[in-house]
Amino acid sequence: MNRKKHRYWLDSPDNVRKLVYGLYALCAALMLLDFFYHKHTNFPFENWFGFFAWFGFIACVALVLLAKQMRKLVKRDEDYYGDV
């Protein structure tokens, strides 16, 4: 039986590239919107341009790096549950 392979829209590298560039454009547009609204802040450094974007990015990277180190502490052996 000869079946035709179905191609999905993300199978094409051009579509993936368009999606990534669209994400970059969206991130840039959201960061540029920081100029156009007034923030009611508690601390002076919260008024820095793009503070919350950078804070979120750095916090996410820190969480990933921390999780990689925590894995060394909490991982179990392969045969922890015994022969099942």
Side-chain angles (χ1 to χ4, degrees):
M1 204 155 139
N2 190 5
R3 287 189 167 182
K4 186 177 181 181
K5 184 179 177 188
H6 183 73
R7 282 187 52 92
Y8 297 95
W9 70 280
L10 283 177
D11 288 339
S12 171
D14 289 336
N15 290 338
V16 174
R17 193 174 308 109
K18 289 175 190 174
L19 190 65
V20 170
Y21 287 153
L23 180 64
Y24 290 159
L26 179 65
C27 288
L30 288 173
M31 196 157 172
L32 288 175
L33 283 176
D34 201 19
F35 282 125
F36 298 107
Y37 67 92
H38 175 69
K39 297 182 285 263
H40 300 280
T41 61
N42 295 320
F43 302 103
F45 56 83
E46 291 177 340
N47 283 323
W48 296 347
F49 173 72
F51 170 76
F52 293 105
W54 286 109
F55 180 79
F57 176 75
I58 291 169
C60 184
V61 170
L63 282 173
V64 170
L65 295 175
L66 179 66
K68 288 176 86 172
Q69 297 305 315
M70 283 180 57
R71 183 177 182 270
K72 296 175 184 175
L73 296 173
V74 299
K75 74 176 179 180
R76 298 187 174 136
D77 294 333
E78 259 185 63
D79 59 348
Y80 176 77
Y81 292 106
D83 295 332
V84 177

